Amino acid sequence: MDRILRTFRKKNDSNQILNKSTYSLVSCGEVTPDTLELWIALPDEVKRDPSMEQIRKKVEEIETNSKDAKEFRYKNAALTQSEADVGNVDELKFIDDVDKTNLSQNNDPDEMKDKVSTRHLPECDTQLKKANYYIKMTLLLGCWTFFTAVFLMYNEKVEIFKNTAVGVTEDKFYHLNIANSSLIQVKFSGPFLSEQAENKLNFSELKNSSQLIVWLESINDNRTYEVTESWEIILQPNIDLNEGELRTKIFPIKHPLMEYKLRVRTNSTQIVPFTMSYTNSPLDATTGVIFAVVLLFGLYVLIIFEVINRTMAAIIVSTCSLAALALVGERPTLMELITWLDIETLLLLFSMMILVAIMAETGIFDYLAVYTFEVTKGKLWPLIYLLCIVTAVLSTFLDNVTTVLLMSPVTIRLCEVMDLDPVPILIFMAIYSNIGGTATPVGDPPNVIVASNKAVIQAGINFTNFTAHMSLGILLIVIQTSLQLRFMFRDSNKLRQRVPRDIQDLKSQILIWRRAADSLPHLSEGVNIVRERLERKITKLNLKLHKTIKERKKRACPKDTFQRTLSELRDKYKIRDKVLLIKSVIAIAFVVTVFFLHSIPELNRVSLAMTALLGAILLLTLADREDLEPILHRVEWSTLLFFASLFVLMEALSKLGLVSYIGGLMEQLILKVDEGARLGVAIMLTLWVSGIISAFVDNIPLTTMMVRVVISIGNNPNLNLPMSPLIWALLYGACLGGNGTLIAASANVVCAGVAEQHGYKFTFLKFFKVGFPIMIGHFIVSSFYLLICHCVFTWH
């Protein structure tokens, strides 16, 4: 085997290659008895090879014409029988060598390791599996017992609401049920200024403004005592009853057994309507952050080590997060839980799954796979780049989840045809989808969340300048990603599902010929003639193998079989239902058109999710199906449930104070920096903090929470920073951070769901090994781009 491996590794010098004419002129000389004995022991495949034709003719001539032919045959039979045992041993050794070679050709080291360990340690392996199973079941049942016991022991949060109004001529007071609490959280919702707008007012404006004044009083011996300082909430200059702002205050309770009441007064000449609620013993920030970190860590342990299915992991951890809220008196009601779900995203996913399921029945995805194969002429990297660039371009106009749903079946079919592993190619597509979706307000869900925010719109950010600021940076990131992927996968074997059949055949042939050559003893000149022929054949096979491997690195399909493969694919994969395809195109065209109309304010009356649902209903109507079960079976319900669980978990983490804690740290860090460098530091902090967090939590709920932090920083008069550069930094971080891990972006999860439907496992670690280094490259390029644009040229 060592000699075989040395033969594979040996560099072939072109000067050593004999052309066909020289090779054919080599004389075989006289065939000696030693040569005849060696010839008999050679494998039939070697004997039948054209390069051995001269020796074969000599042997046949001797067998036919020699006077000693009978003696030769008798000697042959005797030699064969006497060495039968040795031949059997050699044959077994040869089979074992082939098995070892096939094992070494396996691309998956873990799988090879599993095979070896299973062969030698079956009993230990079984015991280890049993131990892992019992540990896993103990932990999972422990989690179930924990949140079940908590739900049985703790009630849902009771928040008392009062709708009322107060005028300048009277005070209002409300009795509170303290219930042995040391703190009480009071919430007011009404025509108030936001905290950011209030912080911008100077002293004279604060003094002359209309206010709602709130304080806490205690009652003892029928006498009232003011026990807290007054909380002054600034009212809007022109009270608008249609717009309300939520303001929150926590009051300390020194003597819980006493009776307390909340008194409200206003100095406004107008009647001030408001809604008031209060909660006893609100959540402590430090405790909540610790709970949040533990829950997030638990989710990633379950997903990274594949302890259980990722959907089941999200369900268990999100339920534990509700139990954690219940322990601190914040257990939400069922109606509140429903409001935590991002119905827009779930409805968009469901509707596009319906559209893709029906469209797949037409055969269009198979046809597109064949067309892509034809355009790229079987070349590997042009094929990959074409798929990725098309995905990125489509994601700038369509939602990236929609794009992935449309492109994933095409990619899987194409990879199956070309013996490529679909998993890395799908990872590339998800990455490019997230990159392309970052460029426009409608390309990625985080962009939709930020672009539709009232404070962001008031800051002057619209469709045009949004696209201008983001697209230029995205072009640079596409170049960086393409170069980095090409470097990471410079060994094209990492992209293949298995060793190609033609390379396997060549290696098997070389193995047979090398074994035949190595079995020859150094006896006589006749033996050397046979060895010379064998070595020359091995040299030719090695040259052919080297050439084939070199071509395989550039091509996904061998050049000599490209036309034949293309012809077979054209015959096999055709459009099966042209009428249904036309109906599907009509529905998709409607959805895409209305998506574009979202950029026109007068026509932006239907959300992205509702648009997709209308398109799905249109296609179901046109398809006129009596039975919807086959279509509904293709909907990835596991993916939808995974998203729903993540939304609940992220909102619970927000309630536990994790994001607010991070936002507070960011503000403190920016304040410590010199005023001239604050903008650069704020951009870097916003980009990297939002990006790193986005890599480990879903970027949709994260963006919903982080946009509040960014608006707070942009409106903070102490920092005096422009908001728009921080918005761009947030978007680059939240969107491109989605490339860091499998569960960081919707497109990644959907892509994994489609892959699993087709039988390909999409693990967390496989995505992490590719996506996380690419994400770091994104942030480096984005950092330079944002600093140059906003700190050097002040584009904002």
Side-chain angles (χ1 to χ4, degrees), residues 135-150:
I135 293 172
K136 178 182 76 172
M137 293 306 298
T138 301
L139 292 175
L140 295 179
L141 288 175
C143 291
W144 180 87
T145 304
F146 163 69
F147 57 68
T148 303
V150 169

Side-chain angles (χ1 to χ4, degrees), residues 142-403:
C143 291
W144 180 87
T145 304
F146 163 69
F147 57 68
T148 303
V150 169
F151 292 150
L152 291 174
M153 295 170 60
Y154 291 85
N155 293 323
E156 293 178 346
K157 177 182 63 177
V158 177
E159 198 167 15
I160 303 170
F161 288 90
K162 293 183 181 295
N163 297 315
T164 185
V166 64
V168 70
T169 59
E170 61 176 343
D171 291 356
K172 289 289 183 71
F173 62 90
Y174 307 94
H175 288 277
L176 306 179
N177 182 14
I178 301 301
N180 297 325
S181 301
S182 60
L183 295 172
I184 183 169
Q185 183 182 55
V186 180
K187 297 179 182 178
F188 278 78
S189 180
F192 313 129
L193 284 182
S194 64
E195 290 187 56
Q196 293 81 11
E198 185 175 317
N199 290 333
K200 291 182 177 181
L201 299 179
N202 55 39
F203 178 76
S204 60
E205 289 174 332
L206 285 172
K207 186 177 181 180
N208 298 323
S209 62
S210 299
Q211 301 174 354
L212 189 72
I213 306 166
V214 184
W215 69 93
L216 200 61
E217 295 180 344
S218 65
I219 304 173
N220 188 16
D221 296 331
N222 295 323
R223 298 179 64 182
T224 303
Y225 301 91
E226 185 175 332
V227 294
T228 62
E229 294 182 356
S230 298
W231 175 30
E232 298 173 350
I233 309 174
I234 307 301
L235 301 174
Q236 296 173 0
N238 299 313
I239 294 179
D240 185 357
L241 301 181
N242 294 321
E243 293 186 9
E245 184 74 23
L246 178 64
R247 302 295 299 274
T248 304
K249 179 75 172 179
I250 295 178
F251 291 107
I253 304 297
K254 296 182 180 179
H255 303 287
L257 298 178
M258 296 177 62
E259 184 180 354
Y260 287 85
K261 64 181 179 181
L262 198 69
R263 187 175 291 274
V264 181
R265 177 186 299 168
T266 184
N267 60 0
S268 173
T269 56
Q270 295 179 272
I271 295 177
V272 181
F274 60 90
T275 298
M276 186 205 78
S277 66
Y278 67 92
T279 305
N280 293 325
S281 300
L283 175 66
D284 177 65
T286 304
T287 306
V289 171
I290 294 173
F291 279 155
V293 171
V294 170
L295 289 167
L296 203 56
F297 178 78
L299 175 66
Y300 273 85
V301 167
L302 293 176
I303 293 179
I304 291 174
F305 295 101
E306 299 178 9
V307 178
I308 52 176
N309 179 272
R310 67 172 184 271
T311 301
M312 193 63 190
I315 292 173
I316 289 177
V317 176
S318 61
T319 310
C320 287
S321 70
L322 298 180
L325 289 175
L327 286 174
V328 294
E330 293 285 332
R331 178 183 169 184
T333 63
L334 181 59
M335 293 304 296
E336 186 179 0
L337 266 181
I338 294 174
T339 62
W340 292 3
L341 302 178
D342 191 334
I343 303 299
E344 283 287 312
T345 302
L346 296 176
L347 184 59
L348 176 66
L349 285 171
F350 172 77
S351 303
M352 294 310 302
M353 287 174 183
I354 293 290
L355 286 171
V356 172
I358 297 177
M359 200 170 184
E361 295 180 359
T362 65
I364 183 62
F365 298 123
D366 298 332
Y367 177 80
L368 288 175
V370 175
Y371 180 76
T372 309
F373 180 73
E374 181 179 5
V375 169
T376 57
K377 300 187 182 300
K379 295 180 180 178
L380 180 60
W381 280 103
L383 170 68
I384 294 174
Y385 282 140
L386 176 62
L387 289 171
C388 292
I389 295 300
V390 168
T391 303
V393 172
L394 287 176
S395 294
T396 60
F397 304 111
L398 294 174
D399 179 79
N400 58 1
V401 173
T402 304
T403 306

